[in-house]
């Protein structure tokens, strides 16, 4: 039976990433307030937010400093755009701060409202740059299967998940997907991690040669694939991939929308993964999700090409009304200040051994094929047979079952493609709360196992 509020929801809202048919029966979990790593539903039941919302509320809930930063900026100047050369202090300061933090040489920052818009912008900037450089045929972008780069027409095309392409007539022309660097699923019998990385780099080179290197503009990658199931490439993967990209003069876009700002214990995920992108997409933890803001950080040579092209065309014809929104920029600036002042990234590094040990221990559970992750983000992949890695029938929705049991236990986690359950708590989670998270998840796994046994699935 749905409550009155749930019925009003079902009759009015379309929910993103939701089985719209099943949802009519189940209705939504309606959340009301939050404090620290906890959120409460409208009936007052607390949940440990094991996903930091959508990989984003890094500083947790109820951070008064962020609230104050927004209120102060709203009173002072709630909005001005930065089109046509106008500007404001929070956008300038934020861009300066980001340049200072950047793990690779960055010349300029372009602001967006989201990660999707950041990656959409990346694609446009690469095209714009290559037109400016007089190589209009060099336009294709290579992404990876199971990558997640967003849902706009271009960024959904870069995303390598069937659910984002099916029936949306995507991907668009000029986007290719290479093998996902998932050792557990993609490695051949007896292949070492090193040999696997070498093979994937060779596959990328073969794809580039088949397409024609003069037609391939860029390669895009998340340091650790997030929404595709928290997939951590082998150690030598990025150096090997980068050699191929350099050889064929292919621009490297790093998507740090999840891994940016401390998730792997470093300011940017690429620092932890030996990845050296030319440009970087950011969003989510940039403002700890207290305001929607994303951005693209680009190198000097790309900027110079853009200056030349806009001189020719009269204007750089791209920008969102809310690019560098002053309230979002002020909140992001405050977020970065808190990360630094409270040594949040160092404190994450100190908590990683406990988090990783608790994650790794889940691999002993009869339902868990792989418990993987890096830093303070993880996924467990559910399997019907640990030896053969055989999966359950996707129609059973085993990971979704586990997520529902977790919710009953007062833990919010997510199920993603490939029967995986993902974990990505706020960075400010305490050691006791890390234990609480994994205890609740273990109970949810046990209940999932009981259910599977009761249904004779094992
Ligand atoms: N890139 C990555 C790596 C992401 O994880 C996401 C969102 N999960 C996006 C891009 C898209 O961001 P948004 O939902 O803000 O458009």
């Amino acid at each position: 039976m749905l409550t009155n509020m749930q019925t009003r929801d079902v009759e009015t809202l379309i929910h993103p990433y939701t089985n719209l048919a099943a949802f009519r029966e189940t209705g939504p979990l309606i959340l009301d307030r939050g404090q620290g790593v906890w959120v409460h539903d409208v009936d007052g039941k607390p949940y440990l937010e094991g996903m930091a919302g959508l990989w984003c509320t890094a500083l947790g809930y109820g951070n008064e400093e962020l609230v104050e930063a927004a209120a102060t900026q709203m009173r002072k100047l709630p909005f001005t755009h930065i089109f046509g050369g106008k500007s404001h202090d929070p956008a300038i300061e934020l861009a300066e701060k980001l340049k200072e933090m950047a793990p690779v040489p960055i010349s300029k920052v372009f602001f967006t409202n989201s990660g999707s818009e950041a990656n959409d912008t990346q694609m446009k900037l690469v095209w714009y740059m290559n037109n400016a450089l007089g190589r209009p045929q060099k336009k294709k972008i290579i992404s990876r299967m199971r990558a997640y780069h967003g849902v706009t027409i271009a960024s959904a095309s870069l995303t390598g998940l069937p659910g984002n392409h099916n029936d949306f007539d995507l991907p668009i022309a000029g986007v290719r997907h290479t093998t996902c660097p998932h050792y557990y699923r993609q490695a051949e019998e007896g292949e070492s991690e090193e040999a696997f990385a070498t093979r994937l780099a060779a596959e990328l080179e073969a794809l580039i040669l088949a397409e024609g290197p003069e037609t391939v503009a860029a390669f895009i990658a998340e340091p650790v694939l997030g929404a595709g199931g928290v997939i951590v490439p082998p150690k030598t993967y990025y150096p090997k991939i980068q050699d191929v990209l350099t050889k064929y003069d292919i621009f490297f876009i790093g998507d740090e929308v999840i891994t940016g700002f401390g998730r792997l214990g470093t300011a940017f995920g690429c620092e932890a993964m030996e990845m050296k992108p030319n440009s970087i997409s950011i969003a989510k933890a940039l403002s700890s999700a207290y305001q929607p803001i994303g951005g693209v950080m680009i190198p000097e040579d790309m900027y110079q090409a853009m200056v030349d092209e806009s001189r020719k065309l009269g204007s750089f014809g791209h920008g969102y009304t809310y690019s560098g929104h002053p309230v979002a920029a002020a909140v992001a600036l405050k977020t970065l200040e808190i990360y630094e002042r409270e040594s949040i990234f160092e404190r994450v590094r100190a908590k990683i051994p406990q988090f990783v040990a608790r994650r790794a221990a889940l691999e002993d559970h009869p339902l868990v094929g792989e418990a993987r992750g890096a830093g303070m983000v993880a996924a467990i992949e559910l399997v019907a047979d640990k030896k053969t890695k055989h999966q359950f029938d996707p129609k059973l929705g085993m990971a979704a079952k586990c997520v529902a049991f977790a919710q009953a236990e007062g833990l919010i986690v997510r199920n993603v493609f490939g029967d995986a359950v993902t974990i990505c708590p706020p960075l400010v989670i305490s050691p006791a709360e890390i234990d609480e998270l994994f205890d609740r998840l273990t109970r949810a796994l046990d209940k999932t196992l009981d259910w599977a046994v009761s249904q004779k699935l094992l």
Side-chain angles (χ1 to χ4, degrees), residues 43 64 100 130 184 230 280 373:
D43 298 321
E64 283 300 325
E100 194 186 303
N130 280 353
Y184 176 73
V230 188
I280 293 177

Side-chain angles (χ1 to χ4, degrees), residues 54-55 113-117 119 148-151 222 226-227 255-258 283-284:
L54 286 171
W55 332 76
N113 304 289
S114 68
S116 298
E117 287 177 356
N119 290 326
Y148 190 90
H149 298 298
V151 293
E222 305 153 80
D255 183 346
E256 293 264 9
V257 167
I258 286 180
K284 296 193 191 273

Side-chain angles (χ1 to χ4, degrees), residues 119 138 221 368 405 457:
N119 290 326
K138 200 169 172 71
V368 177
F405 283 125
L457 297 171

Side-chain angles (χ1 to χ4, degrees), residues 309-349:
E309 192 68 359
S310 76
R311 187 178 291 124
K312 224 167 34 195
L313 299 177
S315 168
F316 169 59
H318 178 63
Y320 307 98
T321 299
Y322 300 139
S323 283
H325 190 289
V327 177
V331 170
L333 203 51
K334 183 57 75 178
T335 305
L336 300 186
E337 183 193 313
I338 297 171
Y339 289 152
E340 195 172 311
R341 191 188 69 219
E342 299 192 359
S343 308
I344 297 291
F345 307 158
E346 286 85 338
R347 286 159 74 179
V348 168
R349 278 203 292 281

Side-chain angles (χ1 to χ4, degrees), residues 11 43 77 94 103 109 115 158 170 181 198 215 223 246 257 272 302 358 396-397 425 427:
E11 295 311 329
D43 298 321
L77 182 68
L94 181 60
V109 183
L158 297 174
L170 296 175
T198 304
T215 69
T246 307
V257 167
M302 178 181 241
R358 290 295 315 250
L396 291 168
L427 299 179

